[in-house]
């Protein structure tokens, strides 16, 4: 009965891509730990780039600097 | 000083229902563990159905299949 | 398919008390939002008092000050 | 490689203030634990006041009562 | 720069299995969203079976009932 | 009423260092957002190096490789 939370920046992941993440993580837990997919939850959080920092800098600024 | 995080799918919970969750969980922690409600936090996250998977399938698809 | 995470300090909650929290929160989600208990997860984290702060002070010190 | 999640109510924090939180927390982890900022993540969640309770009461009501 | 948190019950996952989870989730995020693995974090929490409930029942009891 | 969760690897942070993190984060939220420290929670999680991955590799292996 695993619970997986995936946090990514909100930069245009499609419903199809999020479906692939849900499928892929669930299958991984079956393959590695023989977990029951029926009780495996995956929750994806999409975070605004102003609200995510790395190296002390918001991702919004990192994207502009590129 | 408990902290409780409730994640539900974003399918129309009303402000009144969310208030009942906050009241109910806080009271439960008083009743079972004698926790001080003044320092009990409850945070509710409402998650898009595209972003929640169970059994490897997004809830959006599970709802359609019903 | 709710997911609930309860964080409390590690100060002697018994297995019976944790069972009551699990039962109580699950029932609350049935009562308020008509959620299916079969796909309701409750995860309890017990946190060392050195690792929990309130008002800028670790709980370990707050307990001594009482 | 720390990960920090800051949850605040959604009451008008500006991009500049969120940047200051990201900078400040990252620097704190350098100062106290000598952590590498390049692999320090800070994620800020802004939570609706209907969805945050304290003392068993939604913050929306606490704000009105003031 | 994704962050992934995997919660499983504490029932004997080996270091090798946890390594496979870390590798697999990181690769999935590369494959689906072209994320940079160098800034992808995976954190695994192993939760005592007394502290995880499903269907309102602690996993400890579900395991005994089998 | 902020809630802050700091996750670090379990590599010997002392109670004094954790106290400094709690103080520092709480003060930061006062300084930047004028938050009330009395209702600011800080929770520190110390994660085994086998259970934290970066770049698809457990920290345990990264430490050995140095």
């Amino acid at each position: 009965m695993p619970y997986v939370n995936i946090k990514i920046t909100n930069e245009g992941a499609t419903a199809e891509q999020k479906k692939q993440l849900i499928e892929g993580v669930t299958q991984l837990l079956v393959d590695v730990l023989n977990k029951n997919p029926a009780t495996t939850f995956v929750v994806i959080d999409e975070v605004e780039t102003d609200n995510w920092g790395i190296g002390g800098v918001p991702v919004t600024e990192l994207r502009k600097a590129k």
Side-chain angles (χ1 to χ4, degrees), chain A:
Chain A
M1 50 207 67
Y3 169 81
V4 180
N5 180 228
I6 299 174
K7 289 185 198 294
I8 54 177
T9 44
N10 189 355
E11 298 178 284
T14 64
E16 177 58 31
Q17 288 171 321
K18 291 186 280 191
K19 182 181 171 178
Q20 288 173 25
L21 291 179
I22 288 167
E23 285 175 350
V25 171
T26 305
Q27 189 58 46
L28 183 70
L29 284 153
V30 173
D31 293 344
V32 175
L33 290 174
N34 198 28
K35 292 293 184 182
N36 180 1
T39 51
T40 296
F41 287 5
V42 181
V43 173
I44 300 168
D45 293 326
E46 295 175 277
V47 177
E48 298 300 318
T49 55
D50 278 355
N51 289 16
W52 192 307
I54 179 163
V57 180
V59 173
T60 304
E61 296 196 7
L62 294 174
R63 294 300 187 233
K64 281 182 194 158
K66 278 202 173 171

